[in-house]
Amino acid sequence: MVALIICEKPSVAKKIAEALGKPKKKSIYSVPYYELERDGKKILAASAVGHLFTLVEKKEGKFGEYPVFDIDWVPASIEEGKKYVENYIKALKKLSKEADEFYVATDWDIEGELIGYHALYYCCGKTNAKRMRFSSLTKKEIIKAYENPDTIDFGLVDAGDSRHKVDWYFGINVSRALMEAIRAVKRWKTMSTGRVQGPALAFLVDRELEIKKFVPKPYWVISALLDNLNAIHEKEKFWDEKEANHVYEKIKDIKEGIVVGVKKRKKKIKPNPPFDLGTLQREAHSIYKFSPKKTQDIAQRLYERGIVSYPRSSSQKLPKDRKYLEDVLSIIKNHPNYGKYAERILNENLKPIEGKKDDPAHPAIHIVDIPKEKLPEEEEKIYDLIARRTLAAFWDDAEREYCNVTIDIGGEKFKLNGSRTVKEGWHEIYHFTRFDEVELPPLKKNEKIKVEKINIERKETKPPKRYTVASIIKELEARKLGTKATRAEIIDKLISRGYVVEDGSLKVTDLGIAVIETLKKFCPEIIDEKMTRDLEEKLELIQNGKIKKDEVLNEAENKLKEILSKFKEKEKEIGKELVSKIDSTNKKLKTIGKCKCGGDLVIIRTKNSRFVGCTNYPECNVTYSLPKKGRIKVLNETCESCGLPVIGIDGQKLCINPECPSKMPKENIEDLKESISNGEKTCPKCGGKLVVKNGIYGAFLGCENYPKCKYTEKIKKEVEVVGKCPKCGGDLVKRRGKYGEFIGCSNYPKCKYIEKIKK
């Protein structure tokens, strides 16, 4: 008896084989697979590499022709850069010939079911198999899934097949329609939109236009400076200037206030629920500025390592099986950082908190094992985030005290608000959640307080905020657009196509606005959220066996035919509008600021490099080099130190001037040069001398034998220690933040103690 287990990826095949026995690694067509024996049965564990098959037109028609609906599944090896897929298909075909029994062990979701079924059907020629279902790649879970197999869920297979086909119909046909409109006015640009991409861009454009049309409204704020405390008038915002000035004139010279009310209340704050994928993506972006796609990919790698559970989950509930949780906690008990928490949970039989969201297939994302080797830095960060969130779900409530003080100054009431943590609780473990610590002095009712100054300030209302890559995930989820697995990819596509620029928030470009305004004008149905949601609901009905997939596909086809026939009639008109916006967008995306000669400083890309140059070249030959790697963002900001443009590279703001004083004061560089020349610091790679050089990131050490030797070394900046932290005993150091220099604890983010620098 020979059993073939079909896995989703080679790393998972290895993990499953090792859990079931002592496998021998073999290969066929340069593709690895594993052979082992279990209970007298020979087992072969082989894998796909994600989707082995892709959709294409059955008959290739005229270039750019649309609409097209006659499509079929073919080997994905036809796609550029996927030639290797061919060998995986051949390997599964060959191995299937010696198998009597088949198991599908791909990921337990729509995509996994489709990947497994395609491999089974197209490679092995079978229409059914035993189905292993698991939420983590621990030995126990794998054995349990192997010994208690399910059957293939054909509702999931049909839902996956339909989703791919409907997405192909919309993505290919509407993208072709846009490109053909541009071609109709003798231009060319690759354009794309899709079933979810269009509605997602539409609500981003709505927000962008709201911001552009926003008219600020003035208001006045009156505050009182009380011995380094800032109290705000109880009215907070005065919309009438005369009223604000009247109050200010009445109290501006008063030097003493009276405390007329002190209210204190304590509040218990429950732990955050365990992570679903969307919340993990938002948290990783907030803390580490990781994109949702990056977080999803890292979490997937951790799952494949067998140390966290399946990440594409929409559940905020840990498994109900107490024995399972105890087994996991018994492993985590041996972790140097988390062991003490796991031990207390076990000893005191603590129960985890749950969130509202659920997932029929998978529990919330949680740790299941300790890494066997040191993880790469980014994987370590996500593992730590998941581990702390998992353990904190079992922990005590945090307790916070809020203090509200009312002060009478000349008959006008002012408010002082303070807050402090009185019991860390779960915050001791999951310290990433930020609490404002505003300690007020012990003020009592009827106590007099010195008023140093009364201020009046004119302010303006702010436009609504743009979405960030984190908040748009939440918005897509709330609007039921896309799936937990596809939302990150949708955002990436909007950015890569130039519809949106990510510079801390998602700013829609002229091109993005043009695409949506054009579609709204000529075929609004394409970006209609309701149509997308209706389709999503019908795909769920297919999954539950309540509707046939052909019914949904025919409906999508008929809708698109109707929409695109109207589009075709206005091709040239649409093309003209799009081309004018493409040109203005391209200019904005390249221009970073002004040159001293009056020209524009623009980003120039050549085959092997990129740099900043002046548009008045050759009359002006000013240039600034740029790093070869890293995503560049135009910030439209200038450097406070030298006045030259500042750009963003991978989330870091950088002045383009390598000689900028902000990068390292001149006297420091001279001292460094002298100390290095005296110390004869040598290159560890070739033995040459290390010399001080300047680059976009500031001063650094480089080998004198460059470009033959490219060794570089960062210059470590000395940290100025100014005292000890009164909260945790760590060093207090000088830091620089958004609002200038301040003193903070060196144990941040675990300890968030800060204080102002006294002038």
Side-chain angles (χ1 to χ4, degrees), residues 702-716:
C703 183
E704 65 176 352
N705 294 328
Y706 179 86
K708 210 171 183 180
C709 174
K710 292 176 181 171
Y711 178 80
T712 62
E713 196 178 291
K714 284 182 182 176
I715 294 169
K716 289 176 183 173

PDB file of all heavy atoms in Angstrom, residues 702-716:
ATOM      1  N   GLY A 702      34.379  53.725   5.071  1.00  0.00           N
ATOM      2  CA  GLY A 702      34.489  52.900   3.874  1.00  0.00           C
ATOM      3  C   GLY A 702      35.942  52.610   3.578  1.00  0.00           C
ATOM      4  O   GLY A 702      36.851  53.336   4.012  1.00  0.00           O
ATOM      5  N   CYS A 703      36.172  51.549   2.827  1.00  0.00           N
ATOM      6  CA  CYS A 703      37.548  51.149   2.516  1.00  0.00           C
ATOM      7  C   CYS A 703      38.162  52.096   1.483  1.00  0.00           C
ATOM      8  O   CYS A 703      37.491  52.504   0.526  1.00  0.00           O
ATOM      9  CB  CYS A 703      37.543  49.712   1.989  1.00  0.00           C
ATOM     10  SG  CYS A 703      39.196  49.098   1.651  1.00  0.00           S
ATOM     11  N   GLU A 704      39.449  52.423   1.677  1.00  0.00           N
ATOM     12  CA  GLU A 704      40.154  53.307   0.742  1.00  0.00           C
ATOM     13  C   GLU A 704      40.321  52.651  -0.637  1.00  0.00           C
ATOM     14  O   GLU A 704      40.558  53.334  -1.629  1.00  0.00           O
ATOM     15  CB  GLU A 704      41.535  53.676   1.309  1.00  0.00           C
ATOM     16  CG  GLU A 704      42.475  52.478   1.447  1.00  0.00           C
ATOM     17  CD  GLU A 704      43.875  52.867   1.926  1.00  0.00           C
ATOM     18  OE1 GLU A 704      44.166  54.071   2.011  1.00  0.00           O
ATOM     19  OE2 GLU A 704      44.657  51.947   2.214  1.00  0.00           O
ATOM     20  N   ASN A 705      40.163  51.319  -0.694  1.00  0.00           N
ATOM     21  CA  ASN A 705      40.354  50.601  -1.967  1.00  0.00           C
ATOM     22  C   ASN A 705      39.072  50.479  -2.802  1.00  0.00           C
ATOM     23  O   ASN A 705      38.990  49.670  -3.714  1.00  0.00           O
ATOM     24  CB  ASN A 705      40.922  49.199  -1.696  1.00  0.00           C
ATOM     25  CG  ASN A 705      42.328  49.271  -1.131  1.00  0.00           C
ATOM     26  OD1 ASN A 705      43.088  50.181  -1.462  1.00  0.00           O
ATOM     27  ND2 ASN A 705      42.662  48.347  -0.238  1.00  0.00           N
ATOM     28  N   TYR A 706      38.039  51.264  -2.429  1.00  0.00           N
ATOM     29  CA  TYR A 706      36.805  51.283  -3.232  1.00  0.00           C
ATOM     30  C   TYR A 706      37.147  51.771  -4.648  1.00  0.00           C
ATOM     31  O   TYR A 706      37.983  52.644  -4.802  1.00  0.00           O
ATOM     32  CB  TYR A 706      35.786  52.213  -2.570  1.00  0.00           C
ATOM     33  CG  TYR A 706      34.477  52.336  -3.335  1.00  0.00           C
ATOM     34  CD1 TYR A 706      33.463  51.420  -3.132  1.00  0.00           C
ATOM     35  CD2 TYR A 706      34.288  53.349  -4.268  1.00  0.00           C
ATOM     36  CE1 TYR A 706      32.267  51.513  -3.841  1.00  0.00           C
ATOM     37  CE2 TYR A 706      33.109  53.440  -4.991  1.00  0.00           C
ATOM     38  CZ  TYR A 706      32.106  52.520  -4.774  1.00  0.00           C
ATOM     39  OH  TYR A 706      30.939  52.612  -5.483  1.00  0.00           O
ATOM     40  N   PRO A 707      36.573  51.246  -5.746  1.00  0.00           N
ATOM     41  CA  PRO A 707      35.482  50.270  -5.809  1.00  0.00           C
ATOM     42  C   PRO A 707      35.922  48.796  -5.792  1.00  0.00           C
ATOM     43  O   PRO A 707      35.097  47.907  -5.852  1.00  0.00           O
ATOM     44  CB  PRO A 707      34.822  50.596  -7.149  1.00  0.00           C
ATOM     45  CG  PRO A 707      35.944  51.067  -7.999  1.00  0.00           C
ATOM     46  CD  PRO A 707      36.904  51.764  -7.088  1.00  0.00           C
ATOM     47  N   LYS A 708      37.258  48.565  -5.693  1.00  0.00           N
ATOM     48  CA  LYS A 708      37.719  47.173  -5.662  1.00  0.00           C
ATOM     49  C   LYS A 708      37.192  46.464  -4.422  1.00  0.00           C
ATOM     50  O   LYS A 708      36.748  45.316  -4.468  1.00  0.00           O
ATOM     51  CB  LYS A 708      39.257  47.153  -5.670  1.00  0.00           C
ATOM     52  CG  LYS A 708      39.844  45.940  -6.340  1.00  0.00           C
ATOM     53  CD  LYS A 708      41.348  46.100  -6.498  1.00  0.00           C
ATOM     54  CE  LYS A 708      41.921  44.897  -7.231  1.00  0.00           C
ATOM     55  NZ  LYS A 708      43.375  45.014  -7.398  1.00  0.00           N
ATOM     56  N   CYS A 709      37.234  47.173  -3.284  1.00  0.00           N
ATOM     57  CA  CYS A 709      36.684  46.617  -2.038  1.00  0.00           C
ATOM     58  C   CYS A 709      35.530  47.523  -1.608  1.00  0.00           C
ATOM     59  O   CYS A 709      35.698  48.735  -1.465  1.00  0.00           O
ATOM     60  CB  CYS A 709      37.754  46.584  -0.954  1.00  0.00           C
ATOM     61  SG  CYS A 709      37.094  46.061   0.647  1.00  0.00           S
ATOM     62  N   LYS A 710      34.353  46.933  -1.411  1.00  0.00           N
ATOM     63  CA  LYS A 710      33.153  47.736  -1.107  1.00  0.00           C
ATOM     64  C   LYS A 710      32.742  47.653   0.361  1.00  0.00           C
ATOM     65  O   LYS A 710      31.589  47.890   0.701  1.00  0.00           O
ATOM     66  CB  LYS A 710      32.006  47.285  -2.012  1.00  0.00           C
ATOM     67  CG  LYS A 710      32.259  47.645  -3.466  1.00  0.00           C
ATOM     68  CD  LYS A 710      31.183  47.132  -4.375  1.00  0.00           C
ATOM     69  CE  LYS A 710      31.525  47.503  -5.821  1.00  0.00           C
ATOM     70  NZ  LYS A 710      30.650  46.863  -6.786  1.00  0.00           N
ATOM     71  N   TYR A 711      33.694  47.339   1.246  1.00  0.00           N
ATOM     72  CA  TYR A 711      33.366  47.218   2.669  1.00  0.00           C
ATOM     73  C   TYR A 711      32.967  48.583   3.242  1.00  0.00           C
ATOM     74  O   TYR A 711      33.618  49.605   2.984  1.00  0.00           O
ATOM     75  CB  TYR A 711      34.560  46.668   3.459  1.00  0.00           C
ATOM     76  CG  TYR A 711      34.281  46.581   4.949  1.00  0.00           C
ATOM     77  CD1 TYR A 711      33.537  45.519   5.474  1.00  0.00           C
ATOM     78  CD2 TYR A 711      34.709  47.581   5.822  1.00  0.00           C
ATOM     79  CE1 TYR A 711      33.250  45.450   6.831  1.00  0.00           C
ATOM     80  CE2 TYR A 711      34.432  47.515   7.180  1.00  0.00           C
ATOM     81  CZ  TYR A 711      33.703  46.444   7.679  1.00  0.00           C
ATOM     82  OH  TYR A 711      33.406  46.379   9.015  1.00  0.00           O
ATOM     83  N   THR A 712      31.868  48.610   4.005  1.00  0.00           N
ATOM     84  CA  THR A 712      31.442  49.826   4.717  1.00  0.00           C
ATOM     85  C   THR A 712      31.062  49.467   6.146  1.00  0.00           C
ATOM     86  O   THR A 712      30.772  48.316   6.451  1.00  0.00           O
ATOM     87  CB  THR A 712      30.222  50.494   4.042  1.00  0.00           C
ATOM     88  OG1 THR A 712      29.136  49.589   4.068  1.00  0.00           O
ATOM     89  CG2 THR A 712      30.516  50.933   2.625  1.00  0.00           C
ATOM     90  N   GLU A 713      31.068  50.496   6.988  1.00  0.00           N
ATOM     91  CA  GLU A 713      30.754  50.289   8.398  1.00  0.00           C
ATOM     92  C   GLU A 713      30.033  51.524   8.921  1.00  0.00           C
ATOM     93  O   GLU A 713      30.409  52.658   8.601  1.00  0.00           O
ATOM     94  CB  GLU A 713      32.079  50.100   9.148  1.00  0.00           C
ATOM     95  CG  GLU A 713      31.958  49.517  10.523  1.00  0.00           C
ATOM     96  CD  GLU A 713      33.349  49.320  11.152  1.00  0.00           C
ATOM     97  OE1 GLU A 713      34.117  48.448  10.682  1.00  0.00           O
ATOM     98  OE2 GLU A 713      33.654  50.070  12.099  1.00  0.00           O
ATOM     99  N   LYS A 714      28.980  51.312   9.698  1.00  0.00           N
ATOM    100  CA  LYS A 714      28.253  52.450  10.283  1.00  0.00           C
ATOM    101  C   LYS A 714      29.100  53.113  11.354  1.00  0.00           C
ATOM    102  O   LYS A 714      29.864  52.453  12.052  1.00  0.00           O
ATOM    103  CB  LYS A 714      26.936  51.978  10.901  1.00  0.00           C
ATOM    104  CG  LYS A 714      25.849  51.683   9.889  1.00  0.00           C
ATOM    105  CD  LYS A 714      24.574  51.280  10.611  1.00  0.00           C
ATOM    106  CE  LYS A 714      23.482  50.922   9.626  1.00  0.00           C
ATOM    107  NZ  LYS A 714      22.270  50.445  10.314  1.00  0.00           N
ATOM    108  N   ILE A 715      28.906  54.416  11.513  1.00  0.00           N
ATOM    109  CA  ILE A 715      29.560  55.135  12.603  1.00  0.00           C
ATOM    110  C   ILE A 715      28.572  55.189  13.761  1.00  0.00           C
ATOM    111  O   ILE A 715      27.450  55.695  13.613  1.00  0.00           O
ATOM    112  CB  ILE A 715      29.964  56.566  12.187  1.00  0.00           C
ATOM    113  CG1 ILE A 715      31.052  56.499  11.106  1.00  0.00           C
ATOM    114  CG2 ILE A 715      30.434  57.371  13.383  1.00  0.00           C
ATOM    115  CD1 ILE A 715      31.330  57.817  10.437  1.00  0.00           C
ATOM    116  N   LYS A 716      28.950  54.592  14.859  1.00  0.00           N
ATOM    117  CA  LYS A 716      28.042  54.562  16.007  1.00  0.00           C
ATOM    118  C   LYS A 716      28.032  55.925  16.698  1.00  0.00           C
ATOM    119  O   LYS A 716      29.067  56.441  17.082  1.00  0.00           O
ATOM    120  CB  LYS A 716      28.473  53.468  16.997  1.00  0.00           C
ATOM    121  CG  LYS A 716      28.201  52.072  16.458  1.00  0.00           C
ATOM    122  CD  LYS A 716      28.704  51.012  17.393  1.00  0.00           C
ATOM    123  CE  LYS A 716      28.503  49.620  16.801  1.00  0.00           C
ATOM    124  NZ  LYS A 716      29.133  48.584  17.607  1.00  0.00           N
TER     125      LYS A 716
END
